[in-house]
Amino acid sequence: YTDIVLAANTLNTFFDHLAQNNWVLLPFDLKMASQLLDSATQKQKSGLFREARLAKSETHQPKIRGDSTLWLDEKDLSLSNSELAALHFLENLKENLRQYFRISISTFECHYACYSVGSFYQKHTDSSFGENPRLFSFVIYLNSDWSNNDGGALKAYNTENLELFSIVPKAGQMILFRSDLLHEVLPTQKTRYSLTGWFRR
Ligand code: OGA
Ligand code: MN
């Protein structure tokens, strides 16, 4: 699986990019992405996804954020093999981030997200406050084919509001960025799946 990404020398090159630019695009195993998509769509058919809420108001506000989510819990006995493998991969990535940046990262959390046609997520940051703030955000894209006309790009901006990156949510890649970066998901023209999460202090 995605252990290829974790070959120490290449991973350091990716982390150098993350340290310098506050974001990096990592490769992600296509077979694993397609198996995760199968698990996600099965669980969605069973009605397990919920309309996403905004932290502040605890309500679903599709004019700000239109996705539906399902949190992955490592203690959940119904996790598929690919979900277990993904959690294992993320645990590894957490350790590598911790060592490279010499910071404490105690944990991570993640959820599937599904944006139906027309939905989006307005400009925001993922940072949270309190004891275990979010340090790094990641999004693993699960969509096997995606063209530039399908919308749903993730765009991030620097403090001068200049675009830092724009990526289409196509499988085979994973974006990792500092949680305090301003970013947005543009309206999607196709159902858009991802596994999204955060490494926390
Ligand atoms: C989020 C988010 C980006 C994406 O869920 O907070 O910004 O590309 N997602 O799905
Ligand atoms: Mn976000």
Side-chain angles (χ1 to χ4, degrees):
Y1 273 140
T2 312
D3 293 346
I4 327 156
V5 170
L6 295 178
N9 51 344
T10 54
L11 194 59
N12 272 343
T13 314
F14 287 122
F15 287 166
D16 289 344
H17 190 284
L18 176 59
Q20 278 158 26
N21 302 284
N22 296 330
W23 65 272
V24 66
L25 193 60
L26 299 167
F28 190 85
D29 189 86
L30 273 173
K31 188 163 163 235
M32 187 163 175
S34 113
Q35 290 174 353
L36 286 170
L37 180 63
D38 288 345
S39 298
T41 49
Q42 266 179 40
K43 289 179 176 182
Q44 191 178 34
K45 279 188 194 126
S46 316
L48 293 172
F49 279 59
R50 294 280 172 269
E51 289 177 331
R53 285 154 177 253
L54 296 175
K56 273 185 222 149
S57 60
E58 284 284 311
T59 55
H60 181 63
Q61 296 193 27
K63 287 191 176 145
I64 300 176
R65 164 176 198 184
D67 56 331
S68 295
T69 62
L70 171 63
W71 289 90
L72 285 193
D73 175 357
E74 61 186 350
K75 294 185 286 296
D76 181 349
L77 297 175
S78 69
L79 290 181
S80 66
N81 285 336
S82 58
E83 289 166 342
L84 288 168
L87 293 180
H88 177 77
F89 161 72
L90 290 164
E91 184 63 40
N92 255 302
L93 189 59
K94 187 194 87 179
E95 279 311 301
N96 284 293
L97 276 169
R98 216 174 48 74
Q99 282 168 26
Y100 179 93
F101 287 97
R102 299 173 185 279
I103 51 172
S104 118
I105 305 178
S106 64
T107 182
F108 70 90
E109 59 195 345
C110 59
H111 63 50
Y112 288 122
C114 174
Y115 289 77
S116 55
V117 174
S119 59
F120 53 86
Y121 195 156
Q122 281 190 3
K123 274 188 190 173
H124 66 282
T125 69
D126 294 340
S127 337
S128 57
F129 303 94
E131 255 179 57
N132 305 101
R134 290 170 166 175
L135 300 175
F136 295 105
S137 306
F138 61 84
V139 189
I140 297 168
Y141 294 109
L142 306 181
N143 311 292
S144 58
D145 48 53
W146 203 274
S147 82
N148 291 339
N149 311 329
D150 293 332
L154 170 67
K155 288 180 184 277
Y157 305 88
N158 68 11
T159 47
E160 276 98 56
N161 217 22
L162 295 173
E163 192 176 299
L164 284 177
F165 63 79
S166 172
I167 42 169
V168 296
K170 194 169 158 53
Q173 50 181 357
M174 165 182 189
I175 184 82
L176 179 61
F177 57 97
R178 270 178 58 148
S179 296
D180 56 0
L181 277 190
L182 191 64
H183 58 282
E184 67 179 326
V185 177
L186 298 186
T188 185
Q189 315 303 329
K190 264 170 63 169
T191 312
R192 177 193 194 271
Y193 289 95
S194 64
L195 180 64
T196 300
W198 299 273
F199 294 104
R200 307 184 76 122
R201 185 155 82 208

